[in-house]
Amino acid sequence: MAKIAEPVLRNDYQRSIAAYWNAERDPVNIRLGEVDGLYHHHYGIGGYDASVLGDDQAMIAEMHRLETAQAEVLLDHLGDIRPGNSLMDAGSGRGGTSFMANLRFGCEVDGVSISEQQVGFANEQARQRGVSDKVRFHFRNMLDTGFETGAKRAIWTNETTMYVDLQQLYAEFARLIPIGGRYVCITGCYNDVTGGRSRAVSQIDQHYICNIHPRSAYFKALADNGFVPINVVDLTAATIPYWELRAQSSVATGIEDPFLTAYKEGSFHYLLIAADRI
Ligand code: SAH
């Protein structure tokens, strides 16, 4: 294995993100994860069953179902993955999407996160699931992972790109993914057509200490680093029901209104991009 650049956290900004995730115990993440042991820190897609309204535990389970459905759609876009392939989950959180990928493809998955707390939690999950030999989590920076050049058949980012510079990120992914490999991204991005960062988008940035990028920045940075999109899916309409359900739930965090405003006014999209490395 190539040498990991030290330190993992390069600057005060990254240290503040790590501190946020190390301290994070939000019921919207923990209670949903407890439903079946898959812990997600991303949003859901698809319509919800209105019969759950008013039943707290049923609403939690329904939100979790929509978050798992989001990760299934991401994995659907990874292409032809074989058990012998190795994948990377860039910004892996508590590991939910990594475990789903291993279950589906039977392959190795390396997750990287700058939160040591998350890495410890996810490795313990791997141990409990009996997959520690295949699914491993590392305290590493996705901008400089230390994995061997060409080692990853596919990489995904599930709601993590708003924390980093896209040019630096895709330069590292271009190093890790060989020609013909795949990159899949699900992210929120702001709309170049409606103009700059709207008030609602700024509120989301402030809530998560992130820097939401414009839609255009993704396609420029991908093209600059040898990635050619094969699928672009606007998931905005599909994620609105999740936010409407969450806004009525006991685990609402207060950020639901800015998301609903931003999506409905058109200043923000929920986007999936699948791109091939050429
Ligand atoms: N993809 C996961 C978690 C999303 S939350 C999921 O879908 O559940 C955002 C994640 O990005 C956190 O795990 C955080 O630690 C990680 N992250 C942010 N900046 C990072 C960086 N520079 N390198 C690695 N991980 C990073």
Side-chain angles (χ1 to χ4, degrees):
M1 186 163 293
K3 192 166 162 13
I4 312 166
E6 298 285 354
V8 172
L9 303 174
R10 295 174 167 189
N11 51 41
D12 288 343
Y13 174 70
Q14 290 174 359
R15 280 186 283 275
S16 74
I17 303 304
Y20 174 96
W21 288 107
N22 281 332
E24 186 274 334
R25 305 279 186 282
D26 250 327
V28 76
N29 289 322
I30 303 297
R31 282 196 63 199
L32 272 63
E34 286 166 355
V35 170
D36 64 2
L38 284 175
Y39 289 80
H40 302 305
H41 302 321
H42 58 246
Y43 312 125
I45 54 171
Y48 66 83
D49 173 359
S51 73
V52 302
L53 294 174
D55 178 340
D56 183 55
Q57 191 52 39
M59 288 171 79
I60 297 283
E62 187 65 351
M63 281 185 275
H64 181 65
R65 185 180 70 79
L66 302 181
E67 292 185 3
T68 296
Q70 185 264 29
E72 295 287 8
V73 168
L74 187 157
L75 299 178
D76 287 344
H77 285 84
L78 284 177
D80 183 21
I81 304 296
R82 301 297 168 91
N85 291 145
S86 178
L87 311 179
M88 186 172 93
D89 183 351
S92 45
R94 285 186 169 88
T97 311
S98 293
F99 294 119
M100 288 172 61
N102 167 260
L103 277 171
R104 187 190 289 210
F105 304 116
C107 64
E108 269 188 20
V109 182
D110 285 299
V112 300
S113 169
I114 54 172
S115 160
E116 287 182 273
Q117 201 278 338
Q118 287 184 334
V119 167
F121 183 98
N123 278 326
E124 175 56 22
Q125 288 277 305
R127 195 189 60 75
Q128 288 176 18
R129 291 171 167 269
V131 293
S132 302
D133 56 329
K134 291 241 165 143
V135 187
R136 300 182 199 90
F137 298 91
H138 313 263
F139 173 52
R140 293 195 193 178
N141 199 314
M142 62 184 171
L143 299 177
D144 189 357
T145 61
F147 293 117
E148 296 290 352
T149 296
K152 299 296 172 194
R153 166 71 205 178
I155 297 177
W156 69 86
T157 51
N158 199 352
E159 296 183 13
T160 71
T161 47
M162 57 292 285
Y163 293 108
V164 293
D165 179 284
L166 294 178
Q167 292 285 353
Q168 291 178 19
L169 184 71
Y170 296 151
E172 173 67 349
F173 291 0
R175 186 183 72 76
L176 293 169
I177 302 176
I179 307 288
R182 178 66 60 85
Y183 166 64
V184 179
C185 172
I186 293 186
T187 190
C189 57
Y190 77 77
N191 187 358
D192 304 84
V193 177
T194 54
R197 209 174 293 265
S198 68
R199 181 166 188 219
V201 168
S202 299
Q203 287 169 329
I204 298 168
D205 271 347
Q206 197 186 348
H207 184 89
Y208 291 105
I209 334 174
C210 64
N211 290 297
I212 291 167
H213 303 294
R215 174 160 41 120
S216 56
Y218 283 90
F219 297 96
K220 175 156 192 351
L222 287 169
D224 287 351
N225 290 284
F227 288 100
V228 178
I230 176 77
N231 265 304
V232 178
V233 186
D234 181 0
L235 297 171
T236 309
T239 195
I240 287 177
Y242 166 86
W243 286 99
E244 288 177 335
L245 176 61
R246 181 165 152 167
Q248 302 170 69
S249 77
S250 65
V251 295
T253 62
I255 199 59
E256 290 76 16
D257 281 347
F259 269 92
L260 284 165
T261 300
Y263 285 139
K264 289 181 179 177
E265 75 189 4
S267 67
F268 190 48
H269 320 288
Y270 197 45
L271 211 65
L272 179 149
I273 305 168
D276 288 322
R277 171 85 170 93
I278 54 126

